[in-house]
Structures are given as C-alpha cells and as structure tokens.
Amino acid sequence: MTATAYDAIVLAGGAARRLGGVDKPGVRVGGRTLLDRVLGVCRGAGTTVVVGGRRATVRAVEWAREEPAGGGPLAALDAGVRGTTARNLLVLSADLPFVETGTVQRLLDALDGSGAEAALLVDADGRDQPLVAAYRAEPLRRELALLATEHGGLSGLPLRLLTHELALTRVAAGPLDSFDCDTWQDIAAARSRIREHGRVLDEWMTAVKDELGVELDVDINVLLDLARDAAHGVARPAAPLTTFLVGYAAAQAGGNGPDAVAEAARKAAALAARWAAEAEEEAKGEAAGHGTEDGAG
C-alpha cells in the first residue's frame, strides 16, 4: 500500500502553568525533548510546521506562531495550517512522549478509508483527542475560517467548536498513545516508564539514532546475539568493538541499510563461532594431553 501523503502540524505553545511556566516542549524524557519525541513519529510528513517559539530540533521544520501568542489551540492550529499544502494534515501536541508511528499511520489510514473529514484518537476513557488526529485540509480550513468570522477571531476558543462541525471517524488509542505531560508527576512517570524492562532498549536505540542523525531500522536482537557471541567466544571487550565494526562495514557497503547490517552481523557471528570452536578444540586438546601425562606417571 502506498504511504499517504501528508503534512504535519505540531502545537508547541501554551503557558505550561502546571509545570510552573517551564518550556514544556523542551523538557527531556529519555534524553530527548518532548518536541523531538513527537517529531520522530511524523518523519514521513512532506512539511512539518511547529507552532511555538523557535528552538533547536532534531530535524528541520517550519516555524509558525499564533496571533496573539498564547491564543489557544484553535489559533495555533490556524497558524500551522497556513504553512501546509497537503490534502491531509496530521495534528499532534508536543507533549506526547509515547505516541507511536503506527498510531500516526492508523489515523491517516482511517481518514483515507472513510468519507470523514477528520480521524480522531479516542483514549481509554472514550474521550476524543483532537490534538492526536488527522484532518482533511479543505474542511479544516473552512471551519477555522467560519469560526473566526462568527467569533471575531480564534483566540481563546475551545477545540470542541471545531470538531462539532466536522464529520468524524474515531481510532482507539494504544495503551500510551494519549499519555500527555501536563504536570511534573506526569514527567516523572514518563521518565520512569521508559526504563522499564522490555522498553528501555528500544527507547535507547531511538534516542541514539536521533542524536546521531541516523534513520535506520535494524533488528536489535541480531546485534545483541552478535555481542553475546563475541563476548563469550572471544573476550568481553570484543562485544562493543565488534558491533561498532559491523555498523562501519554496513555503512561502507552502502545499499539497503538494514540488509547491509544483517549481512555484516552474519559474517561477524560466523567468525565468532569459528573462533569459539577453535578455542574449544584447543581446550579439549590440552585436557587430553594432561590426561595422558597423568596416566604416564
């Protein structure tokens, strides 16, 4: 299936009063800012517009600002829409540490596969999440313009005024898709959750790839197995050095990134197995020799 073409709007403004006015999009969870975590799930967007104060980000984006600043989500959404050209628009708030790429795709697919004007995420309590949603651009622009005319502007208006006027379809949220960070308790919970067993490696790998500007999906288990084999069959320091060389070899080979990593890992694992087998043969030979000597005495 061909990927849906879309632009993305990330709302990164707001006063963050429950965080004491701190720059919420810049708060770090797992070594990455909340904003960068959200930007990571919409890499497929043709254009990404961030509405809020300019700051360093993990990838290039366009910037916009609502008028007046702090005018609320509808005013921010209107400012973001003005910087987009795609027929479908993904809208995300910048305080969603666990929203996933798969969820973004489910929203876009739901919009494409229906006659709806917007696909909204619905959380476990049945609440619509209009800032985790995909919209058709034309109806969104129409309703924003009508609301601005009716109310003399968009500043301070609630989002429900927009969604009540659109034909909606809804997508059930995953366990953490709609988890947002409004308080320091939320931040602490998010920071704790990323270190849970079963999640920490994926979180770390994603953080490293973002930090290094690497866009490559590889099988973590292949690299872990290789590191284990190198550590056991050669020496413990061989594990990180071998995985580094595998990555370097894959980069030198070019071609399909994940396939190049897998092939380099296969070769290195085979070498580690031969190395271990040779050491085992030597150990058996030495043991046999000692047995002979003991018998000869």
Side-chain angles (χ1 to χ4, degrees):
M1 183 176 63
T2 303
T4 302
Y6 70 97
D7 287 343
I9 301 169
V10 179
L11 304 189
R17 293 183 180 86
R18 284 188 281 177
L19 288 174
V22 73
D23 173 28
K24 181 164 68 169
V27 172
R28 296 184 183 276
V29 172
R32 294 186 290 158
T33 66
L34 289 172
L35 176 56
D36 279 342
R37 293 179 73 91
V38 172
L39 291 177
V41 303
C42 53
R43 290 185 182 277
T47 297
T48 299
V49 180
V50 178
V51 185
R54 295 173 65 92
R55 68 197 75 216
T57 53
V58 72
R59 64 183 182 85
V61 299
E62 301 295 326
W63 295 94
R65 197 66 196 243
E66 73 274 24
E67 292 292 342
L74 277 185
L77 187 53
D78 183 61
V81 166
R82 295 175 188 275
T84 64
T85 58
R87 293 176 59 187
N88 293 328
L89 303 177
L90 175 72
V91 174
L92 299 171
S93 60
D95 61 352
L96 301 164
F98 301 120
V99 66
E100 297 184 344
T101 305
T103 302
V104 165
Q105 193 58 54
R106 287 195 297 130
L107 288 167
L108 293 167
D109 288 347
L111 187 65
D112 262 358
S114 70
E117 296 172 324
L120 304 189
L121 198 74
V122 179
D123 67 20
D125 295 322
R127 293 174 298 208
D128 287 343
Q129 301 292 321
L131 298 185
V132 193
Y135 294 85
R136 296 195 192 279
E138 185 177 349
L140 179 59
R141 294 177 194 275
R142 178 195 69 217
E143 293 304 327
L144 287 170
L146 288 172
L147 286 170
T149 299
E150 181 180 352
H151 295 274
L154 296 171
S155 182
L157 297 183
L159 275 167
R160 65 176 179 272
L161 293 181
L162 171 68
T163 53
H164 283 176
E165 299 300 326
L166 295 171
L168 304 176
T169 188
R170 291 174 169 85
V171 173
L176 294 173
D177 283 329
S178 59
F179 181 98
D180 58 1
C181 292
D182 288 329
T183 67
W184 285 113
Q185 288 78 9
D186 294 335
I187 296 292
R191 287 172 171 169
S192 175
R193 191 174 291 273
I194 66 168
R195 290 175 169 79
E196 291 178 352
H197 179 71
R199 187 177 191 103
V200 65
L201 279 181
D202 284 336
E203 287 282 353
W204 171 250
M205 292 295 287
T206 301
V208 172
K209 287 189 288 185
D210 270 4
E211 190 72 16
L212 301 181
V214 175
E215 295 187 29
L216 179 66
D217 290 323
V218 297
D219 189 334
I220 293 176
N221 290 325
V222 168
L223 296 180
L224 290 177
D225 288 346
L226 170 61
R228 178 202 63 206
D229 293 344
H232 291 174
V234 183
R236 188 172 297 275
L241 295 172
T242 303
T243 52
F244 165 76
L245 290 173
V246 162
Y248 187 81
Q252 291 288 94
N256 184 290
D259 288 347
V261 170
E263 176 62 13
R266 184 194 64 78
K267 290 180 178 179
L271 174 61
R274 295 196 302 270
W275 188 288
E278 185 177 309
E280 187 176 340
E281 288 175 6
E282 289 297 312
K284 287 180 179 178
E286 288 180 8
H290 287 310
T292 302
E293 290 173 7
D294 291 341

